[in-house]
Amino acid sequence: IFFCIVTGIPVMRTPLQILFLILVTDLPPSIALGMEPGEKTILKERPRPKDEPVVLGWMWLSMVMNGAVLSAVIIGVYVVSLMHYCEGQIFQADIDKLEDFDSKLMDARTVAFISLVWSENIRSYTSRSFDKPMWHDILGNVNMQKAIVLAQICLYVAVLVPVFSDKILLDGKVFQADIDKLDDFDSKLMDARTVAFISLVWSENIRSYTSRSFDKPVWHDILGNVNMQKA
């Protein structure tokens, strides 16, 4: 988004798409990563010094490079999509002059949206280990398979189901001044706020479980506090 603003390219995603990516395509795989089974050979490894940081320098480099490659690929896909759907134009000022530019811009954003969901799902597998290839015991974490399937189902529902896809895109408008000009803008704005409200409630509920302990995983004795289940 920062790259798009700086370069004058239309913003790649709408607010609802960002919420969808965070809560639907990122959150389940992230939780599944926390359930990754331990390596069978872990007891054969030499102990690490007690003053050694948890994340080493080469691990930081790996994460930065991973994010940089993903960003470059998605930006490249978005630019190519803009050129394809917007008659060779990539800058906001030029696209605004096109006939039916909203529809063309929505198509380009949809391509970038699908590409990012697929990329995030693939990265969920590459993030399972720093020193082993992605295909090593790729089906070992059953929860990861469930999370990826859920993300893919939600993706195609969001893109292919007419009513839901219209709500996700919100006609591509972000600012109040632009939204006020839309037909039936009150209803569309209410839908956007409802999605944000539901997302926040779910996030707060999940955080209630993650806040139970600093040193134990979220699933440790997850049903131990009966009052938490009632709340």
Side-chain angles (χ1 to χ4, degrees):
I1 293 176
F2 176 77
F3 175 84
C4 293
I5 294 174
V6 170
T7 58
I9 296 175
V11 175
M12 190 183 301
R13 283 178 288 280
T14 65
L16 289 182
Q17 287 177 340
I18 295 173
L19 280 174
F20 182 92
L21 289 168
I22 293 173
L23 297 174
V24 178
T25 65
D26 282 353
L27 185 59
S30 297
I31 296 174
L33 278 176
M35 301 178 181
E36 189 74 20
E39 295 288 343
K40 297 179 180 179
T41 59
I42 191 170
L43 293 178
K44 297 181 180 180
E45 298 179 5
R46 298 185 62 182
R48 294 173 59 175
K50 63 179 182 180
D51 58 345
E52 185 177 78
V54 175
V55 181
L56 303 178
W58 65 271
M59 294 179 179
W60 281 111
L61 179 61
S62 175
M63 290 187 286
V64 171
M65 290 300 296
N66 190 307
V69 170
L70 176 62
S71 299
V73 169
I74 299 304
I75 289 173
V77 169
Y78 183 50
V79 170
V80 172
S81 301
L82 285 174
M83 295 177 66
H84 177 75
Y85 289 106
C86 299
E87 303 177 14
Q89 306 298 332
I90 63 172
F91 297 109
Q92 183 73 63
D94 298 325
I95 293 175
D96 287 343
K97 300 175 183 177
L98 300 177
E99 183 178 352
D100 193 23
F101 72 90
D102 276 337
S103 176
K104 296 175 181 178
L105 188 55
M106 187 184 300
D107 290 336
R109 283 173 171 160
T110 301
V111 172
F113 179 68
I114 296 173
S115 302
L116 182 58
V117 173
W118 270 88
S119 300
E120 289 287 357
N121 287 168
I122 292 173
R123 188 168 68 165
S124 298
Y125 287 102
T126 63
S127 301
R128 295 173 64 231
S129 175
F130 279 105
D131 57 355
K132 291 182 175 61
M134 182 183 75
W135 54 85
H136 174 73
D137 194 24
I138 193 170
L139 300 179
N141 187 348
V142 178
N143 294 299
M144 179 64 76
Q145 323 312 324
K146 295 177 181 178
I148 297 300
V149 169
L150 174 64
Q152 287 294 312
I153 291 174
C154 291
L155 167 65
Y156 293 113
V157 169
V159 172
L160 300 178
V161 177
V163 175
F164 191 71
S165 63
D166 291 343
K167 304 306 179 186
I168 286 290
L169 292 171
L170 192 64
D171 292 339
K173 303 302 183 184
V174 177
F175 299 106
Q176 184 72 56
D178 297 324
I179 294 174
D180 288 343
K181 300 175 183 177
L182 300 175
D183 294 332
D184 194 24
F185 74 90
D186 278 336
S187 175
K188 295 177 180 179
L189 191 55
M190 184 181 298
D191 290 333
R193 287 170 173 163
T194 301
V195 172
F197 175 72
I198 294 173
S199 302
L200 181 60
V201 172
W202 270 91
S203 300
E204 291 291 347
N205 288 341
I206 292 172
R207 188 171 66 169
S208 299
Y209 287 100
T210 62
S211 301
R212 293 172 63 235
S213 175
F214 283 106
D215 57 352
K216 292 182 176 60
V218 63
W219 58 88
H220 175 74
D221 195 22
I222 192 170
L223 300 179
N225 186 345
V226 178
N227 294 306
M228 178 68 77
Q229 322 313 322
K230 295 178 180 177

